[in-house]
Amino acid sequence: MDWGSDLWDQHDVIERHTQSGLELLERYVKFVRERAEIEQTYAKQLRSLSKKYSRRGVKEDQDTKPSNQQSFQDVLNQLNDYAAQREQLSENMTLNICVELSRNLQEMRQERKNHLCEVKKAQQNLESSFKLLETSKKRFEKEWREAEKANQQTERVQQEVSATKADVEKAKQNTHLRVHLADECKNEYASQLQRYNQEQSSFYHSEIPSAYKKLQEMEERQIRLLADGYVQFSETEKNLLPDINKCLDAIISTGRSINEKQETLALIEQYRSGAAPPADVEFEDYSQGVKAAASDNTTTHLPKVRIKQLFHKKNKPSSLEDLSRLPPDQRRRRLQEKIDDIQKELQRETEQSEALMKMKGVYEQNSQLGDPSSLQPQITQTAHDIARLRGELNKYQVQLAEAGGGTLQHYPASSEYITVLSDPSVSPSENIYEYEFDEDFDIDVPIGQCTALYDFDGGSEGAMSMQVGEQLSLMQEDQGDGWVRVQRASGHVGYVPASYIQII
């Protein structure tokens, strides 16, 4: 069974039904689109929630927080990842369902319109053929009646006594003409009837079934697309469930990994001062004279003073650059952490310096590979960085040794000047830097490189002469007075007009 053979006379039903199916598909597309928007809004709100409760402050301050507070930050980070999965779900629904179904919906609307137009056109052709049939039929009917009248007239003329032979002959000729015209109309009517029957048969047995069958196939595709859309709606979210579950499992693992005993012990490790509690207050017997409260070398503090010192709330945490006010244990721990960080950074800078020197040597051997002078700014900057790091390392190692937490390993790093050896045979890991030790550790590090655009004589006090094209190190930017401080490779420092240089 199909629509063409069984619903050939239900054109209006088929038209309404196919329209209803396409409207249902359109409603489903709108539904999925709104669902995707809900997921997008949900993800946005989750991100806002995570940002609202995320820990703020500098990294050093965050690192001092207990690990259970860091765990809460991990939960918020996983919530961000969870929000990202909801955004991905929204995007997949929009692209894989809404976009695809909208394209098919537009195509099927046009296809339905074309099929209905075919039916309408075939019906109009059949109606036109029927009108021609009716016209030929009426003409045949009219001409046949005229022929009968002519025949009856001829019979009356033949029966009249007064009729002449000529009258009889004329009546016979008129009758013969009318009969001939009636026969022609009869043949035309028979031909038009045959043509109409053929067109009607084709209309009801070929054109209508074919068009309705195509509409039926289109309706089946529409139903299949809608059904697949239901499946895809679920599978789209189901495919993301592993990633979503990873976020949720990570939150579960974070909660289960917290050890409340270790948390409380970590507070001891972090804030233990190493100081001994105050000694017992000695009894002062006023009946035998005031007893010395303290010896020449020590000072006795009253318990209330000790308590005030122990529980006095600090206004602001000590800076990492100044750790002298921290309790001994905390100071040693923080100094060691700082030394470890600087040593890692120093290792990276040293490796980078070695790589630059090797590259410079390769360029000097084969100039086609590159210009050796182009690496000089990077080499200079790396040299300054290594000198600064070694100076900081010496500083903190001295403080750690004073705190009784390690042995001093001297790195001559702080300087009033730094000279980068240009000889490629000298390894950066050996003696690529020459410095003079300065206990104040005040290194003037370049903040960039610049090139002189014009000659400048440097006649005024504090100014430095330069020649056009000369490359200089930028030590200080323009502070609003139109001058910048620069340094030559020789170490000479001075001021030049800011408009006379170009920062590179």
Side-chain angles (χ1 to χ4, degrees), residues 290-330:
V290 179
K291 190 174 183 180
S295 65
D296 295 338
N297 299 327
T298 60
T299 301
T300 303
H301 299 275
L302 294 177
K304 63 179 182 180
V305 178
R306 287 286 188 178
I307 294 173
K308 183 177 180 180
Q309 291 176 347
L310 288 173
F311 296 97
H312 176 66
K313 183 177 181 181
K314 296 181 179 180
N315 293 330
K316 187 177 180 180
S318 299
S319 170
L320 288 179
E321 297 296 332
D322 183 11
L323 307 175
S324 60
R325 291 183 295 173
L326 291 175
D329 287 359
Q330 294 184 37

mmCIF file of all heavy atoms in Angstrom, residues 290-330:
data_model
loop_
_atom_site.group_PDB
_atom_site.id
_atom_site.type_symbol
_atom_site.label_atom_id
_atom_site.label_comp_id
_atom_site.label_asym_id
_atom_site.label_seq_id
_atom_site.Cartn_x
_atom_site.Cartn_y
_atom_site.Cartn_z
ATOM 1 N N VAL A 290 64.629 43.328 98.244
ATOM 2 C CA VAL A 290 64.312 43.055 96.839
ATOM 3 C C VAL A 290 65.433 42.259 96.199
ATOM 4 O O VAL A 290 66.609 42.619 96.318
ATOM 5 C CB VAL A 290 64.096 44.374 96.068
ATOM 6 C CG1 VAL A 290 63.807 44.076 94.614
ATOM 7 C CG2 VAL A 290 62.965 45.159 96.695
ATOM 8 N N LYS A 291 65.065 41.185 95.627
ATOM 9 C CA LYS A 291 66.037 40.314 94.960
ATOM 10 C C LYS A 291 66.231 40.761 93.516
ATOM 11 O O LYS A 291 65.303 41.213 92.880
ATOM 12 C CB LYS A 291 65.539 38.873 94.985
ATOM 13 C CG LYS A 291 66.569 37.846 94.528
ATOM 14 C CD LYS A 291 66.021 36.452 94.727
ATOM 15 C CE LYS A 291 67.028 35.398 94.351
ATOM 16 N NZ LYS A 291 66.495 34.040 94.555
ATOM 17 N N ALA A 292 67.461 40.651 93.046
ATOM 18 C CA ALA A 292 67.732 41.088 91.652
ATOM 19 C C ALA A 292 66.832 40.324 90.692
ATOM 20 O O ALA A 292 66.721 39.102 90.763
ATOM 21 C CB ALA A 292 69.200 40.845 91.331
ATOM 22 N N ALA A 293 66.220 41.058 89.853
ATOM 23 C CA ALA A 293 65.281 40.439 88.906
ATOM 24 C C ALA A 293 65.976 39.818 87.718
ATOM 25 O O ALA A 293 65.406 39.023 87.016
ATOM 26 C CB ALA A 293 64.262 41.473 88.421
ATOM 27 N N ALA A 294 67.200 40.244 87.533
ATOM 28 C CA ALA A 294 67.898 39.716 86.359
ATOM 29 C C ALA A 294 69.374 39.773 86.589
ATOM 30 O O ALA A 294 69.853 40.581 87.386
ATOM 31 C CB ALA A 294 67.524 40.511 85.121
ATOM 32 N N SER A 295 70.096 38.915 85.926
ATOM 33 C CA SER A 295 71.554 38.930 85.969
ATOM 34 C C SER A 295 72.075 39.959 85.000
ATOM 35 O O SER A 295 71.328 40.619 84.309
ATOM 36 C CB SER A 295 72.096 37.534 85.646
ATOM 37 O OG SER A 295 71.769 37.198 84.332
ATOM 38 N N ASP A 296 73.400 40.077 84.965
ATOM 39 C CA ASP A 296 73.995 41.061 84.059
ATOM 40 C C ASP A 296 73.787 40.696 82.605
ATOM 41 O O ASP A 296 73.783 41.569 81.737
ATOM 42 C CB ASP A 296 75.509 41.181 84.332
ATOM 43 C CG ASP A 296 75.757 41.742 85.726
ATOM 44 O OD1 ASP A 296 74.824 42.388 86.246
ATOM 45 O OD2 ASP A 296 76.857 41.497 86.266
ATOM 46 N N ASN A 297 73.626 39.400 82.294
ATOM 47 C CA ASN A 297 73.571 38.971 80.903
ATOM 48 C C ASN A 297 72.168 38.707 80.401
ATOM 49 O O ASN A 297 71.945 38.549 79.217
ATOM 50 C CB ASN A 297 74.399 37.695 80.694
ATOM 51 C CG ASN A 297 75.864 37.930 81.034
ATOM 52 O OD1 ASN A 297 76.374 39.036 80.822
ATOM 53 N ND2 ASN A 297 76.528 36.903 81.552
ATOM 54 N N THR A 298 71.156 38.587 81.295
ATOM 55 C CA THR A 298 69.803 38.227 80.863
ATOM 56 C C THR A 298 68.812 39.204 81.416
ATOM 57 O O THR A 298 69.064 39.881 82.397
ATOM 58 C CB THR A 298 69.427 36.806 81.314
ATOM 59 O OG1 THR A 298 69.489 36.750 82.731
ATOM 60 C CG2 THR A 298 70.396 35.790 80.736
ATOM 61 N N THR A 299 67.643 39.215 80.794
ATOM 62 C CA THR A 299 66.553 40.083 81.232
ATOM 63 C C THR A 299 65.333 39.227 81.442
ATOM 64 O O THR A 299 64.964 38.439 80.569
ATOM 65 C CB THR A 299 66.249 41.160 80.180
ATOM 66 O OG1 THR A 299 67.438 41.912 79.989
ATOM 67 C CG2 THR A 299 65.123 42.060 80.642
ATOM 68 N N THR A 300 64.697 39.348 82.612
ATOM 69 C CA THR A 300 63.519 38.544 82.913
ATOM 70 C C THR A 300 62.285 39.327 82.529
ATOM 71 O O THR A 300 62.140 40.488 82.907
ATOM 72 C CB THR A 300 63.458 38.194 84.397
ATOM 73 O OG1 THR A 300 64.650 37.515 84.756
ATOM 74 C CG2 THR A 300 62.248 37.332 84.699
ATOM 75 N N HIS A 301 61.390 38.700 81.750
ATOM 76 C CA HIS A 301 60.149 39.329 81.309
ATOM 77 C C HIS A 301 58.998 38.776 82.113
ATOM 78 O O HIS A 301 58.955 37.583 82.431
ATOM 79 C CB HIS A 301 59.890 39.055 79.820
ATOM 80 C CG HIS A 301 60.971 39.598 78.938
ATOM 81 N ND1 HIS A 301 60.991 40.889 78.493
ATOM 82 C CD2 HIS A 301 62.082 38.998 78.433
ATOM 83 C CE1 HIS A 301 62.052 41.088 77.751
ATOM 84 N NE2 HIS A 301 62.734 39.954 77.694
ATOM 85 N N LEU A 302 58.044 39.620 82.469
ATOM 86 C CA LEU A 302 56.865 39.178 83.195
ATOM 87 C C LEU A 302 55.992 38.338 82.291
ATOM 88 O O LEU A 302 56.004 38.489 81.072
ATOM 89 C CB LEU A 302 56.092 40.390 83.716
ATOM 90 C CG LEU A 302 56.829 41.218 84.777
ATOM 91 C CD1 LEU A 302 55.978 42.416 85.157
ATOM 92 C CD2 LEU A 302 57.158 40.379 85.999
ATOM 93 N N PRO A 303 55.210 37.431 82.871
ATOM 94 C CA PRO A 303 54.366 36.581 82.034
ATOM 95 C C PRO A 303 53.436 37.370 81.142
ATOM 96 O O PRO A 303 53.200 36.991 80.013
ATOM 97 C CB PRO A 303 53.586 35.757 83.063
ATOM 98 C CG PRO A 303 54.454 35.723 84.263
ATOM 99 C CD PRO A 303 55.162 37.038 84.290
ATOM 100 N N LYS A 304 52.900 38.506 81.615
ATOM 101 C CA LYS A 304 51.953 39.255 80.782
ATOM 102 C C LYS A 304 52.634 39.812 79.545
ATOM 103 O O LYS A 304 52.032 39.954 78.502
ATOM 104 C CB LYS A 304 51.289 40.366 81.580
ATOM 105 C CG LYS A 304 52.269 41.432 82.099
ATOM 106 C CD LYS A 304 51.535 42.497 82.860
ATOM 107 C CE LYS A 304 52.472 43.605 83.348
ATOM 108 N NZ LYS A 304 51.740 44.646 84.096
ATOM 109 N N VAL A 305 53.921 40.116 79.675
ATOM 110 C CA VAL A 305 54.659 40.607 78.501
ATOM 111 C C VAL A 305 54.841 39.476 77.505
ATOM 112 O O VAL A 305 54.690 39.641 76.312
ATOM 113 C CB VAL A 305 56.011 41.193 78.931
ATOM 114 C CG1 VAL A 305 56.795 41.643 77.731
ATOM 115 C CG2 VAL A 305 55.790 42.344 79.908
ATOM 116 N N ARG A 306 55.214 38.294 78.037
ATOM 117 C CA ARG A 306 55.370 37.139 77.158
ATOM 118 C C ARG A 306 54.067 36.801 76.441
ATOM 119 O O ARG A 306 54.042 36.546 75.243
ATOM 120 C CB ARG A 306 55.810 35.935 77.985
ATOM 121 C CG ARG A 306 57.247 35.978 78.449
ATOM 122 C CD ARG A 306 58.185 35.700 77.295
ATOM 123 N NE ARG A 306 59.551 35.562 77.762
ATOM 124 C CZ ARG A 306 60.561 35.270 76.972
ATOM 125 N NH1 ARG A 306 60.352 35.123 75.688
ATOM 126 N NH2 ARG A 306 61.781 35.146 77.454
ATOM 127 N N ILE A 307 52.989 36.801 77.141
ATOM 128 C CA ILE A 307 51.697 36.470 76.539
ATOM 129 C C ILE A 307 51.332 37.476 75.474
ATOM 130 O O ILE A 307 50.842 37.139 74.394
ATOM 131 C CB ILE A 307 50.612 36.398 77.633
ATOM 132 C CG1 ILE A 307 50.918 35.225 78.573
ATOM 133 C CG2 ILE A 307 49.237 36.250 77.026
ATOM 134 C CD1 ILE A 307 50.016 35.163 79.776
ATOM 135 N N LYS A 308 51.597 38.742 75.737
ATOM 136 C CA LYS A 308 51.279 39.769 74.749
ATOM 137 C C LYS A 308 52.095 39.576 73.490
ATOM 138 O O LYS A 308 51.620 39.741 72.382
ATOM 139 C CB LYS A 308 51.531 41.148 75.351
ATOM 140 C CG LYS A 308 51.160 42.283 74.422
ATOM 141 C CD LYS A 308 51.353 43.610 75.100
ATOM 142 C CE LYS A 308 50.972 44.754 74.160
ATOM 143 N NZ LYS A 308 51.157 46.066 74.782
ATOM 144 N N GLN A 309 53.361 39.194 73.662
ATOM 145 C CA GLN A 309 54.197 38.973 72.497
ATOM 146 C C GLN A 309 53.759 37.741 71.719
ATOM 147 O O GLN A 309 53.779 37.719 70.486
ATOM 148 C CB GLN A 309 55.656 38.813 72.926
ATOM 149 C CG GLN A 309 56.282 40.102 73.456
ATOM 150 C CD GLN A 309 57.689 39.877 73.951
ATOM 151 O OE1 GLN A 309 58.124 38.738 74.125
ATOM 152 N NE2 GLN A 309 58.400 40.967 74.203
ATOM 153 N N LEU A 310 53.360 36.703 72.441
ATOM 154 C CA LEU A 310 52.983 35.459 71.756
ATOM 155 C C LEU A 310 51.707 35.605 70.956
ATOM 156 O O LEU A 310 51.560 35.039 69.877
ATOM 157 C CB LEU A 310 52.818 34.339 72.778
ATOM 158 C CG LEU A 310 54.116 33.797 73.404
ATOM 159 C CD1 LEU A 310 53.772 32.826 74.515
ATOM 160 C CD2 LEU A 310 54.977 33.133 72.354
ATOM 161 N N PHE A 311 50.751 36.365 71.478
ATOM 162 C CA PHE A 311 49.439 36.451 70.841
ATOM 163 C C PHE A 311 49.194 37.793 70.182
ATOM 164 O O PHE A 311 48.077 38.110 69.837
ATOM 165 C CB PHE A 311 48.339 36.165 71.868
ATOM 166 C CG PHE A 311 48.406 34.777 72.402
ATOM 167 C CD1 PHE A 311 49.034 34.508 73.608
ATOM 168 C CD2 PHE A 311 47.874 33.726 71.682
ATOM 169 C CE1 PHE A 311 49.101 33.224 74.088
ATOM 170 C CE2 PHE A 311 47.929 32.441 72.164
ATOM 171 C CZ PHE A 311 48.555 32.177 73.368
ATOM 172 N N HIS A 312 50.230 38.619 70.008
ATOM 173 C CA HIS A 312 50.069 39.892 69.303
ATOM 174 C C HIS A 312 49.813 39.637 67.828
ATOM 175 O O HIS A 312 50.548 38.891 67.176
ATOM 176 C CB HIS A 312 51.323 40.749 69.479
ATOM 177 C CG HIS A 312 51.267 42.038 68.702
ATOM 178 N ND1 HIS A 312 50.370 43.025 68.995
ATOM 179 C CD2 HIS A 312 51.992 42.453 67.640
ATOM 180 C CE1 HIS A 312 50.539 44.023 68.164
ATOM 181 N NE2 HIS A 312 51.535 43.705 67.316
ATOM 182 N N LYS A 313 48.771 40.216 67.299
ATOM 183 C CA LYS A 313 48.395 40.025 65.899
ATOM 184 C C LYS A 313 49.211 40.946 65.006
ATOM 185 O O LYS A 313 49.246 42.152 65.217
ATOM 186 C CB LYS A 313 46.905 40.322 65.697
ATOM 187 C CG LYS A 313 46.435 40.060 64.273
ATOM 188 C CD LYS A 313 44.958 40.295 64.153
ATOM 189 C CE LYS A 313 44.480 40.015 62.742
ATOM 190 N NZ LYS A 313 43.048 40.254 62.602
ATOM 191 N N LYS A 314 49.867 40.366 64.020
ATOM 192 C CA LYS A 314 50.672 41.168 63.104
ATOM 193 C C LYS A 314 49.758 41.921 62.159
ATOM 194 O O LYS A 314 48.749 41.418 61.700
ATOM 195 C CB LYS A 314 51.617 40.273 62.302
ATOM 196 C CG LYS A 314 52.652 39.569 63.179
ATOM 197 C CD LYS A 314 53.571 38.728 62.328
ATOM 198 C CE LYS A 314 54.618 38.029 63.163
ATOM 199 N NZ LYS A 314 55.512 37.204 62.337
ATOM 200 N N ASN A 315 50.187 43.139 61.846
ATOM 201 C CA ASN A 315 49.377 43.956 60.933
ATOM 202 C C ASN A 315 49.461 43.454 59.506
ATOM 203 O O ASN A 315 48.520 43.497 58.761
ATOM 204 C CB ASN A 315 49.823 45.419 60.998
ATOM 205 C CG ASN A 315 49.515 46.032 62.342
ATOM 206 O OD1 ASN A 315 48.555 45.628 62.985
ATOM 207 N ND2 ASN A 315 50.348 46.964 62.767
ATOM 208 N N LYS A 316 50.653 42.967 59.101
ATOM 209 C CA LYS A 316 50.843 42.565 57.710
ATOM 210 C C LYS A 316 51.910 41.482 57.654
ATOM 211 O O LYS A 316 52.907 41.563 58.358
ATOM 212 C CB LYS A 316 51.282 43.771 56.868
ATOM 213 C CG LYS A 316 51.354 43.493 55.387
ATOM 214 C CD LYS A 316 51.729 44.747 54.638
ATOM 215 C CE LYS A 316 51.800 44.503 53.151
ATOM 216 N NZ LYS A 316 52.167 45.694 52.412
ATOM 217 N N PRO A 317 51.756 40.434 56.834
ATOM 218 C CA PRO A 317 52.768 39.379 56.731
ATOM 219 C C PRO A 317 54.080 39.943 56.221
ATOM 220 O O PRO A 317 54.124 40.897 55.465
ATOM 221 C CB PRO A 317 52.138 38.409 55.719
ATOM 222 C CG PRO A 317 50.705 38.721 55.728
ATOM 223 C CD PRO A 317 50.598 40.173 56.036
ATOM 224 N N SER A 318 55.179 39.315 56.655
ATOM 225 C CA SER A 318 56.490 39.779 56.231
ATOM 226 C C SER A 318 56.686 39.518 54.759
ATOM 227 O O SER A 318 56.220 38.529 54.205
ATOM 228 C CB SER A 318 57.580 39.041 57.023
ATOM 229 O OG SER A 318 57.443 39.295 58.403
ATOM 230 N N SER A 319 57.401 40.389 54.087
ATOM 231 C CA SER A 319 57.689 40.238 52.666
ATOM 232 C C SER A 319 58.691 39.121 52.467
ATOM 233 O O SER A 319 59.546 38.862 53.319
ATOM 234 C CB SER A 319 58.240 41.554 52.116
ATOM 235 O OG SER A 319 58.731 41.358 50.806
ATOM 236 N N LEU A 320 58.642 38.476 51.327
ATOM 237 C CA LEU A 320 59.595 37.424 51.023
ATOM 238 C C LEU A 320 61.003 37.967 50.856
ATOM 239 O O LEU A 320 61.977 37.245 50.978
ATOM 240 C CB LEU A 320 59.162 36.690 49.748
ATOM 241 C CG LEU A 320 57.935 35.803 49.904
ATOM 242 C CD1 LEU A 320 57.611 35.162 48.577
ATOM 243 C CD2 LEU A 320 58.140 34.761 50.955
ATOM 244 N N GLU A 321 61.116 39.253 50.541
ATOM 245 C CA GLU A 321 62.424 39.863 50.393
ATOM 246 C C GLU A 321 63.041 40.183 51.752
ATOM 247 O O GLU A 321 64.240 40.366 51.856
ATOM 248 C CB GLU A 321 62.298 41.147 49.562
ATOM 249 C CG GLU A 321 61.818 40.909 48.136
ATOM 250 C CD GLU A 321 62.808 40.092 47.328
ATOM 251 O OE1 GLU A 321 64.014 40.159 47.641
ATOM 252 O OE2 GLU A 321 62.374 39.378 46.415
ATOM 253 N N ASP A 322 62.224 40.323 52.781
ATOM 254 C CA ASP A 322 62.716 40.630 54.122
ATOM 255 C C ASP A 322 62.140 39.605 55.081
ATOM 256 O O ASP A 322 61.009 39.711 55.539
ATOM 257 C CB ASP A 322 62.318 42.052 54.521
ATOM 258 C CG ASP A 322 62.890 42.434 55.888
ATOM 259 O OD1 ASP A 322 63.752 41.675 56.383
ATOM 260 O OD2 ASP A 322 62.469 43.468 56.438
ATOM 261 N N LEU A 323 62.965 38.572 55.374
ATOM 262 C CA LEU A 323 62.492 37.471 56.205
ATOM 263 C C LEU A 323 63.097 37.506 57.601
ATOM 264 O O LEU A 323 62.988 36.532 58.348
ATOM 265 C CB LEU A 323 62.858 36.133 55.534
ATOM 266 C CG LEU A 323 62.409 35.983 54.077
ATOM 267 C CD1 LEU A 323 62.934 34.664 53.510
ATOM 268 C CD2 LEU A 323 60.908 36.053 53.966
ATOM 269 N N SER A 324 63.730 38.614 57.951
ATOM 270 C CA SER A 324 64.456 38.677 59.212
ATOM 271 C C SER A 324 63.542 38.636 60.428
ATOM 272 O O SER A 324 63.955 38.206 61.499
ATOM 273 C CB SER A 324 65.313 39.942 59.250
ATOM 274 O OG SER A 324 64.493 41.106 59.121
ATOM 275 N N ARG A 325 62.277 39.064 60.258
ATOM 276 C CA ARG A 325 61.371 39.122 61.397
ATOM 277 C C ARG A 325 60.603 37.832 61.623
ATOM 278 O O ARG A 325 59.837 37.717 62.569
ATOM 279 C CB ARG A 325 60.389 40.286 61.226
ATOM 280 C CG ARG A 325 61.044 41.653 61.338
ATOM 281 C CD ARG A 325 60.020 42.762 61.247
ATOM 282 N NE ARG A 325 59.390 42.790 59.939
ATOM 283 C CZ ARG A 325 58.367 43.584 59.635
ATOM 284 N NH1 ARG A 325 57.844 44.374 60.561
ATOM 285 N NH2 ARG A 325 57.856 43.561 58.422
ATOM 286 N N LEU A 326 60.783 36.843 60.729
ATOM 287 C CA LEU A 326 60.100 35.567 60.902
ATOM 288 C C LEU A 326 60.758 34.766 62.022
ATOM 289 O O LEU A 326 61.958 34.920 62.285
ATOM 290 C CB LEU A 326 60.146 34.762 59.608
ATOM 291 C CG LEU A 326 59.316 35.286 58.436
ATOM 292 C CD1 LEU A 326 59.566 34.433 57.208
ATOM 293 C CD2 LEU A 326 57.839 35.295 58.793
ATOM 294 N N PRO A 327 60.016 33.870 62.675
ATOM 295 C CA PRO A 327 60.614 32.968 63.662
ATOM 296 C C PRO A 327 61.697 32.117 63.008
ATOM 297 O O PRO A 327 61.654 31.883 61.787
ATOM 298 C CB PRO A 327 59.437 32.125 64.141
ATOM 299 C CG PRO A 327 58.240 32.963 63.854
ATOM 300 C CD PRO A 327 58.563 33.727 62.620
ATOM 301 N N PRO A 328 62.672 31.623 63.766
ATOM 302 C CA PRO A 328 63.828 30.913 63.180
ATOM 303 C C PRO A 328 63.449 29.775 62.249
ATOM 304 O O PRO A 328 63.961 29.687 61.138
ATOM 305 C CB PRO A 328 64.584 30.413 64.418
ATOM 306 C CG PRO A 328 64.208 31.373 65.503
ATOM 307 C CD PRO A 328 62.788 31.782 65.233
ATOM 308 N N ASP A 329 62.560 28.876 62.693
ATOM 309 C CA ASP A 329 62.206 27.733 61.849
ATOM 310 C C ASP A 329 61.537 28.172 60.560
ATOM 311 O O ASP A 329 61.847 27.663 59.477
ATOM 312 C CB ASP A 329 61.290 26.778 62.624
ATOM 313 C CG ASP A 329 62.048 26.004 63.684
ATOM 314 O OD1 ASP A 329 63.271 26.201 63.782
ATOM 315 O OD2 ASP A 329 61.402 25.213 64.404
ATOM 316 N N GLN A 330 60.602 29.099 60.675
ATOM 317 C CA GLN A 330 59.920 29.582 59.473
ATOM 318 C C GLN A 330 60.891 30.294 58.537
ATOM 319 O O GLN A 330 60.826 30.151 57.317
ATOM 320 C CB GLN A 330 58.791 30.544 59.859
ATOM 321 C CG GLN A 330 57.653 29.888 60.616
ATOM 322 C CD GLN A 330 56.531 30.858 60.883
ATOM 323 O OE1 GLN A 330 56.231 31.689 60.048
ATOM 324 N NE2 GLN A 330 55.943 30.771 62.069
#
